[in-house]
Structures are given as C-alpha cells and as structure tokens.
C-alpha cells in the first residue's frame, strides 16, 4: 500500500463508512426492495408495562452518575416512579400504584440501568449477516487459533448456491505475525493466498477494517468479465491482478468489484429485518437497551422506521446522520436538540476523516512501522496542492458549515494521530465562530492522543468515544508490529477522565463484538488478549476503576448521545430500562487472574420500558455474533 493521502475523497472505509452500504444505498432502499423487506403491513404489538417494585442489596440506579446503591426501585407506566429506601418505595407504591407486583433480588444479583452502545452500525451488521463470517472473534473473545486454515475452513464450508462466495471480517492484524528479514510483519493476503484456499469458485472477502477487498484469481476473472470499465482500464486479467497487487484497496478499486455482485448482495439483504431482530436480541442478552448508530442516511432511516413500526422495540435507538460531502451538509436543516424520544432520532452529523489503524489506513503523522514502507494512511478530504499533514480547507469548510452555520453537533471519526490533530484544529476554528447552546461534539475512536490534545478537547467541550477493543484485542499487534512505543498513546481513558472529561466506550460492531461488560473489563485491565504466552498490560496508568467504566457505559453514554432525558440512569421520570446481572461488576477483583470475569457475568434479565425483553433460560444455547439463530418471532 502506498501513502494514500492524495487519493480521491471518500475512498477510506471502516464500519463508519461501509463501502457495501454506500454502493447499494439507492438500490437496497428502493421502494421495491423496501416492500420486499416489509412484505406485510401491520403495527407492532407491545406488551403492557409492568407495575413493579424491585428490592435488593445491589441496586445501582446511577442517578447523577453516582454508583451508590439504593434499597428499592418502583416502576409504573414504563417509567421509574421512585427509588430509595425499601419502606419508602413500598409506601409510595401502595399509595400511588396499588396492586403492584414485587420482585426481590438475591444477595449477589445486581440491578443497573440498561447498558448503552454509543457507536454501532445496525444496518450494515444485519445486511451482511449472510456473508461468511471469517472474523477472529468467538463470542466476545479472540479465537484460540485464528489463521488462514481457519479462514479456509469457513470459506470452503460456505453455501455453494451463490455465484460468488462473499466473506466478511478478515483481519490479518490478528493472525500470527510473519518474520521478514528479522522483523515482525502482518501477514499479506492476496489472490495467490486465497487460491490456496479455493481456486475453483470466485471468492471475495471484505477485511474487518473494510479498507480492503480480498479476491482469489477466479474472482478477479469474474469482475473483469462482468465490468466493462474494469476491462477498459486494465486490458487483461493478468494486468488487473498485477496493478492491484492481487487485492483491492479502498473505494476506487473496491467499488467496481462490488458492483458486479450487487444483485447477490441485495438478495442476501432482503431478510434484513430478521437479522435486525437477532441483533437486538443479542444486544438484550448482553444487557444492552440503547444503541446509537454512527452512520444513518435517508434509506436506513426509512428502513428502521418501518422496522420499529412493525416490530417490538427491544432497544431504544438514535444516531448520527453521515455526511461525506459539502453538498450533503448543505442539504441538512438547522439542528434542533431532540426533546421527546422516538426511535432512530438524530443527535449528530457524522464525518469520517480517515480509516482504521489496524487496517493501516488511520492517518498518521509518521509512517507505520510495518510494511508497506512510508505508509501514513489515508485522509478523506485531500485537495490538490495541499501538502501532506496540512489540514485541507475543504475539511474546515465542511465542519464550519455543519457546526457554525447549521448548529449541528458532530461525531468526527479520527483514528490516526494526524487525523485527531486535524479534527481538534477544525473544531477550534469553527467553535470560535459558533453562537448557540453548548454542543456535545465528539471524536470517534480518538485512538492516539497527547496531553496537549486532551487539554484542547476539554477546553472546547469535545468528548472522546473510545473503541476500547483497540487495547484489548489489537493492543499486542499495535505494540509489537504496527506502532511500537507509540501504542502507549492508545485510548487514554484514565488521562481524559483525570482532566475532567466525560468519556464513553463502544464496540463499533462489527469491528468488535457487542458487550458493554466486556468493554468495561478491557478499560479496567487493559490486558492485551492476543498475547497468550503471558498476561501483559498496555499502559497501566490509563486503567479505569470499575466505577468509572460503569459510568462510561451508562450515564455518560446517554449524555453523549443526547439521550440523558430518557435513559442512562434510573432517576424518577426516566424510562424503566434496566438489566439484572447475576453478579455485581463492581465487586470483582481486578487482579489479572480475574480479568475474564466481567464479560462473563450472566445477564439474567433485560427490561425496556417496564417490559422484560430478555430472560435467561438456564438451558439456553449461548448466542453470539457468529451464530445468531433466533427466529424472528421467538
């Protein structure tokens, strides 16, 4: 891969700017296909909220962000009506809600506000469900063996019904490293490598970071024979493979290949409602009651609105409207902070400025340590004549229009340290001209930070949302191959909190698995899980306390998503969205021998609006992202 900062705008991809969704957004969300996705009209049936008093030793309503316990909580009409001492709650419920039911928690059971995923991608996750999953995750842990043999077994075990085998989640950064000239490198995957897996049928596999599409030779031939523009550009299949190094990088190369399989992708996507239901059930099984989508558009808005009109609302939803161009921002109306909750409300505008660090496309101030040489990643807003590492005027104009002129809060995707610098500088410029109420501006992932940048963000009121899996899942690769000592700058949770900032943790599903308890654990321990030889912590000074981690996935997550008027705590008047765990996550020891326990705490019950949406069956099969097998009506 070359230094890509001069590439055409819009070429970088990650879950935040999914190339498959981008190419299909008009066709997939056409009236004809939406009718197929929603073949029957009819309104969703809603179970009547329970009137209930719950008491126990471990009830943490997180009121005001405090982790202090109360003895009891009362709910009625889908909302919290009182919290406090057991006798007081009981008296209040008798006087105001006679006939209420009672629920007593056992000694270890713990009630918390519903957990929040403040940065997810619901439509792409559901849309690509039928693609072959070759990801490194098994549930919420890394597979004990993740290599090309595993990938081959998944690809060759796939259905042969399709013209092209489509795979997703391939992640070379989590495979065994190669030794080249005495130096550790990430494994290189190209058409020859995939031919060794399957040379008979066309195979296309999208990387986990979504910046690369891997093809075997048969797939290169298939694209060449079905896309006239590719044929004109490359003249022969051999030249096509040679000039792309046997793999398609970024949108300019990926889009022509994806276009030849778009009908297959659309056909596989028509069951998206079933997979959305499975995704929400999976979320409920992990205690999640709120999901904030970081990449909405008109089509996804329509699809999700229709979905929630005809399906039970298992999670509450909001999101950011993604804008990739000046034209898209110009078309946005002036911002109005959401007051009354409705499914898939809009809280932010989303801008994607660079790619993925583990995918080697996060935009860096200095080259990555690994091959290819002199690669500093990609910035999505280049302009002719603008030197590298100089902020493009078009980027400033886009952000100024969104914030200073339209009044929108922003989520800026920035992974590399140079991309984070550009985001901070752009915020500084536009906020100097902004006149209006305080905005909850964010930097998404915000992977590599300095103390000075933290100070600047604090002064501007810009908060980070950390993809904490960068430490837990990818930290070992970052430290040993990709960044070296620069990995110490990753996800500075402790420093940002110490400075007085509010932070959140997210999964960016499908980049990493759903699971706020897992994210809490990774922020508390910062153990690099790929190192199976021994337990190694990445920058222990940045570890959170369990209390801080819990705040990040409840109270502060709701605040950051403009949802704190409805969720994030169990204060009076807020929705009765809560989770009951088998054990208190704040009671666990944080020594290394205990580090796997937080993500494995069983979720016993999940409630949304006073209605149980998940109750653990002791005999149930554990359902994961890799095996979502719920039926739509179950």
């Amino acid at each position: 891969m070359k230094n890509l900062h001069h590439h055409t705008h819009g070429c970088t991809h990650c879950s935040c700017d999914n190339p498959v969704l981008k190419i299909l957004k008009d066709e997939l969300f056409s009236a004809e296909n939406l009718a197929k996705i929603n073949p029957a009209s009819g309104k969703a049936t809603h179970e009547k909220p329970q009137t209930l008093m719950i008491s126990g030793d471990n009830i943490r309503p997180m009121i005001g962000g405090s982790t202090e316990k109360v003895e009891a909580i009362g709910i009625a009409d889908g909302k919290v009506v009182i919290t406090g001492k057991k006798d007081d709650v009981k008296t209040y419920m008798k006087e105001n809600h006679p006939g209420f039911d009672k629920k007593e928690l056992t000694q270890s059971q713990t009630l918390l506000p519903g957990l929040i995923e403040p940065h997810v991608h619901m439509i792409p996750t559901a849309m690509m469900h039928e693609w072959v999953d070759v990801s490194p995750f098994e549930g919420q842990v890394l597979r004990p063996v993740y290599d090309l043999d595993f990938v081959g077994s998944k690809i060759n075990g796939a259905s042969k019904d399709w013209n092209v085998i489509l795979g997703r989640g391939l992640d070379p950064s989590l495979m065994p490293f190669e030794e080249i000239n005495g130096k550790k490198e990430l494994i290189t995957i190209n058409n020859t490598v995939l031919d060794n897996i399957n040379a008979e049928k066309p195979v296309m596999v999208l990387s986990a970071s979504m910046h690369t599409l891997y093809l075997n030779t048969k797939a290169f031939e298939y694209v060449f024979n079905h896309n006239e523009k590719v044929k004109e550009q490359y003249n022969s299949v051999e030249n096509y493979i040679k000039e792309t190094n046997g793999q398609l990088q970024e949108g300019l190369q990926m889009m022509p290949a994806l276009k030849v399989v778009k009908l297959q992708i659309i056909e596989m996507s028509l069951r998206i409602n079933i997979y959305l239901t499975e995704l929400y059930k999976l979320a409920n099984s992990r205690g999640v009651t709120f999901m904030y989508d970081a990449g909405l558009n008109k089509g996804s808005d329509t699809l999700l609105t229709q979905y929630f009109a005809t399906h039970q609302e298992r999670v509450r939803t909001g999101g950011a409207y993604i804008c990739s161009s000046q034209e898209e921002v110009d078309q946005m109306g002036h911002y109005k902070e959401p007051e009354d909750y409705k499914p898939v409300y809009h809280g932010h505008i989303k801008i994607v400025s660079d790619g993925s660090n583990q995918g080697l496309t996060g935009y860096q101030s200095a080259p990555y340590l690994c091959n290819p040489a002199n690669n500093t990643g990609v910035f999505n807003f280049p302009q002719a004549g603008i030197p590298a590492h100089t902020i493009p005027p078009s980027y400033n104009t886009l952000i100024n229009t969104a914030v200073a002129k339209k009044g929108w809060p922003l989520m800026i995707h920035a992974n590399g340290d140079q991309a984070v610098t550009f985001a901070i500088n752009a915020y500084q410029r536009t906020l100097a001209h902004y006149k209006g109420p305080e905005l909850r501006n964010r930097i998404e992932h915000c992977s590599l930070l300095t103390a000075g940048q933290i100070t600047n963000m604090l002064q501007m009121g810009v908060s980070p949302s950390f993809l904490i899996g960068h430490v837990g899942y990818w930290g070992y690769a970052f430290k040993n191959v990709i960044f070296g000592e620069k990995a110490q700058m990753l996800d500075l949770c402790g420093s940002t909190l110490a400075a007085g900032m509010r932070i959140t943790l997210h999964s960016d599903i499908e980049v990493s698995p759903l699971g706020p308890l897992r994210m809490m654990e990774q922020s508390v321990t910062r153990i690099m899980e790929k190192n199976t030889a021994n337990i190694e912590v990445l920058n222990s000074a940045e570890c959170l306390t369990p209390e801080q981690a819990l705040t990040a996935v409840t109270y502060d997550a709701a605040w950051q998503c403009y949802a704190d008027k409805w969720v994030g705590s169990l204060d009076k008047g807020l929705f009765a969205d809560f989770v009951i765990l088998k054990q208190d996550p704040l009671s666990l020891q944080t020594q290394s021998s205990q580090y796997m326990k937080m993500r494995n705490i069983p979720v016993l019950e999940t409630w949304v609006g006073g209605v149980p949406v998940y109750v653990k069956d002791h005999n149930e099969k554990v359902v994961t992202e890799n095996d979502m097998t719920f039926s739509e009506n179950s």
Side-chain angles (χ1 to χ4, degrees):
M1 186 192 302
K2 300 176 183 177
N3 183 325
L4 296 171
H5 71 265
H6 289 305
H7 272 212
T8 303
H9 163 60
C11 64
T12 302
H13 297 294
C14 60
S15 272
C16 296
D17 196 15
N18 185 299
V20 181
L21 184 59
K22 197 168 189 176
I23 198 172
L24 295 179
K25 66 179 182 180
D26 293 329
E27 289 107 324
L28 180 62
F29 301 130
S30 68
E32 179 183 1
N33 284 327
L34 285 173
K36 293 178 181 177
I37 292 170
N38 296 280
S41 60
K43 294 184 178 180
T45 57
H46 298 287
E47 188 176 335
K48 185 178 180 181
Q50 295 189 25
T51 304
L52 184 64
M53 170 183 161
I54 306 175
S55 56
D57 292 337
N58 295 306
I59 299 176
R60 302 184 188 273
M62 300 299 294
I63 296 172
S66 169
T67 59
E68 293 299 312
K69 299 178 184 179
V70 298
E71 294 179 1
I73 180 171
I75 62 175
D77 301 319
K79 294 186 176 182
V80 178
V81 293
I82 186 172
T83 62
K85 292 185 176 297
K86 185 175 180 179
D87 288 344
D88 293 340
V89 173
K90 186 176 181 180
T91 299
Y92 179 91
M93 295 299 288
K94 282 183 175 180
E95 293 176 352
N96 295 276
H97 303 282
F100 65 93
D101 293 321
K102 298 178 184 177
K103 187 180 185 71
E104 182 77 28
L105 304 181
T106 64
Q107 187 172 2
S108 64
Q109 290 178 351
T110 301
L111 188 149
L112 303 171
L115 307 181
I116 294 173
E117 281 272 7
H119 182 130
V120 298
H121 298 277
M122 298 181 286
I123 295 292
T125 299
M127 181 181 71
M128 298 176 67
H129 175 77
E130 292 188 20
W131 294 39
V132 182
D133 179 13
V134 296
S135 76
F137 301 108
E138 188 171 14
Q140 298 186 73
V141 299
L142 293 174
R143 296 184 183 279
V145 177
Y146 183 64
D147 55 18
L148 290 173
D149 288 339
F150 167 80
V151 172
S153 68
K154 296 288 284 187
I155 288 174
N156 291 322
S159 169
K160 304 299 188 290
D161 295 340
W162 300 108
N163 292 329
V164 178
I165 296 175
L166 297 177
R168 57 180 167 85
L170 184 58
D171 196 339
S173 68
L174 288 174
M175 290 184 175
F177 305 138
E178 292 183 314
E179 192 84 18
I180 301 177
N181 298 324
K183 180 184 174 186
K184 291 178 181 178
E185 296 284 357
L186 303 184
I187 188 170
T188 298
I189 298 176
N190 55 25
N191 64 302
T192 303
V193 172
L194 288 186
D195 286 347
N196 291 332
I197 289 173
N198 189 319
E200 304 301 319
K201 190 173 180 67
V203 176
M204 297 184 186
V205 185
L206 192 62
S207 68
S209 65
M210 300 190 189
H211 81 100
T212 304
L213 187 65
Y214 300 103
L215 283 70
N216 66 355
T217 301
K218 283 286 187 183
F220 272 104
E221 293 172 353
Y222 189 86
V223 175
F224 185 84
N225 292 328
H226 289 80
N227 191 313
E228 290 301 320
K229 290 185 178 180
V230 169
K231 192 173 292 187
E232 291 172 6
Q233 181 177 357
Y234 294 103
N235 300 317
S236 69
V237 173
E238 292 74 20
N239 193 46
Y240 187 20
I241 293 172
K242 180 181 179 181
E243 291 198 21
T244 59
N245 296 315
Q247 52 178 234
L248 304 182
Q249 296 277 5
E250 314 306 335
L252 292 177
Q253 293 182 355
M254 294 165 63
M255 291 301 188
L258 291 171
K259 283 181 179 179
V260 305
V261 292
K262 69 178 182 179
L263 293 179
Q264 177 178 329
I265 296 173
I266 289 173
E267 178 63 27
M268 296 169 80
S269 302
L270 294 179
R271 290 170 286 279
I272 192 170
N273 276 354
I274 293 173
Y275 303 131
L276 281 170
T277 299
E278 293 180 357
L279 176 65
Y280 298 144
K281 288 185 176 181
L282 175 66
N284 293 156
S285 75
R286 294 185 183 164
V288 175
T289 60
F290 182 95
M291 300 171 78
Y292 198 71
D293 196 289
L296 297 173
N297 58 35
K298 289 182 180 178
S300 60
D301 274 0
T302 301
L303 190 150
L304 289 169
T305 299
Q306 291 186 5
Y307 174 88
F308 286 114
T310 56
H311 293 73
Q312 179 185 7
E313 188 177 16
R314 293 182 165 274
V315 296
R316 302 195 191 276
T317 51
Y321 200 92
I322 192 164
C323 291
S324 302
S325 68
Q326 183 66 39
E327 180 183 9
E328 289 176 319
V329 174
D330 287 341
Q331 292 173 355
M332 296 292 290
H334 286 271
Y335 180 69
K336 183 178 180 181
E337 182 177 331
E339 291 294 332
D340 299 317
Y341 171 75
K342 67 174 183 177
V344 211
Y345 70 90
H346 292 163
H348 293 80
I349 282 177
K350 173 71 176 298
I351 293 174
V352 180
S353 59
D354 70 339
S356 155
N357 290 336
Q358 64 270 30
L360 309 184
T361 52
Y363 194 43
Q364 310 296 341
S365 59
Y368 291 92
L369 296 184
C370 54
N371 286 331
N374 300 316
N375 169 38
T376 56
V378 185
F379 192 70
N380 264 352
F381 296 86
Q383 284 181 262
I386 302 298
H389 297 158
T390 302
I391 189 167
S394 62
Y395 183 64
N396 275 329
T397 301
L398 185 84
I399 290 173
N400 189 65
T401 303
V403 178
K405 294 184 178 179
K406 303 267 185 169
W408 277 86
L410 292 186
M411 304 169 67
I412 300 180
H413 165 114
N415 261 313
D417 66 326
Q418 191 63 48
V420 172
T421 296
F422 281 3
I424 290 172
N425 290 346
Y427 272 135
Q428 286 176 321
R429 286 183 173 93
T430 193
L431 289 173
H433 303 287
Y434 171 73
K435 307 294 182 184
E438 184 176 346
L439 299 177
R440 301 175 192 179
N441 290 311
R442 302 167 51 166
I443 297 181
E444 303 308 292
H445 315 322
C446 205
S447 302
L448 299 163
L449 276 175
T450 66
Q453 289 174 330
I454 291 172
T455 299
N456 288 336
M457 291 173 64
L458 177 66
Q459 291 172 343
M460 294 185 294
V462 174
S463 63
S465 186
F466 294 117
L467 176 57
I468 193 62
H470 278 150
V471 172
Y473 294 134
W474 289 279
Y476 188 70
F478 284 138
K479 180 180 179 182
N480 289 277
V481 177
I482 298 173
F483 287 138
E485 283 305 307
K486 188 177 177 179
Q488 298 294 314
M489 298 167 60
L490 276 168
D491 291 358
L492 300 186
C493 299
S495 293
T496 46
L497 277 180
M501 300 174 72
R502 300 174 77 168
I503 71 168
T504 65
L505 309 172
H506 67 258
S507 68
D508 198 15
I509 188 172
E510 286 191 328
V511 173
S512 72
L514 283 174
L517 290 174
R518 181 268 304 174
M519 296 187 296
M520 288 175 60
E521 178 191 307
Q522 289 177 326
S523 71
V524 168
T525 68
R526 294 182 68 94
I527 290 173
M528 296 183 286
E529 297 168 31
K530 190 174 186 292
N531 184 1
T532 56
N534 54 67
I535 291 173
E536 186 179 1
V537 175
L538 179 62
N539 196 349
S540 61
E542 297 300 322
C543 292
L544 297 185
T545 66
E547 289 79 7
Q548 290 170 330
L550 179 59
T551 302
V553 300
T554 55
Y555 189 77
D556 282 351
W559 168 83
Q560 199 179 57
C561 298
Y562 285 96
D564 50 327
K565 293 183 287 290
W566 316 305
V567 298
S569 75
L570 294 170
D571 204 351
K572 182 179 179 180
L574 274 63
F575 288 131
D577 297 356
F578 59 89
V579 59
I580 299 175
L581 306 177
K582 189 174 183 179
Q583 190 174 4
D584 185 357
L586 305 193
S587 71
L588 294 181
Q589 299 296 314
T590 57
Q591 287 92 344
S592 57
S593 61
Q594 303 291 327
Y595 85 99
M596 288 298 293
K597 284 193 173 180
M598 196 175 286
R599 76 185 71 183
N600 292 336
I601 294 174
V603 175
L604 302 180
E605 299 178 21
T606 303
W607 293 60
V608 173
V611 175
V613 293
Y614 171 82
V615 177
K616 182 176 177 60
D617 179 350
H618 294 292
N619 299 315
E620 74 178 355
K621 178 178 181 289
V622 176
V623 180
T624 73
E625 290 88 341
N626 316 99
D627 182 29
M628 294 195 296
T629 55
F630 295 110
S631 69
E632 188 172 14
N633 297 317
S634 63

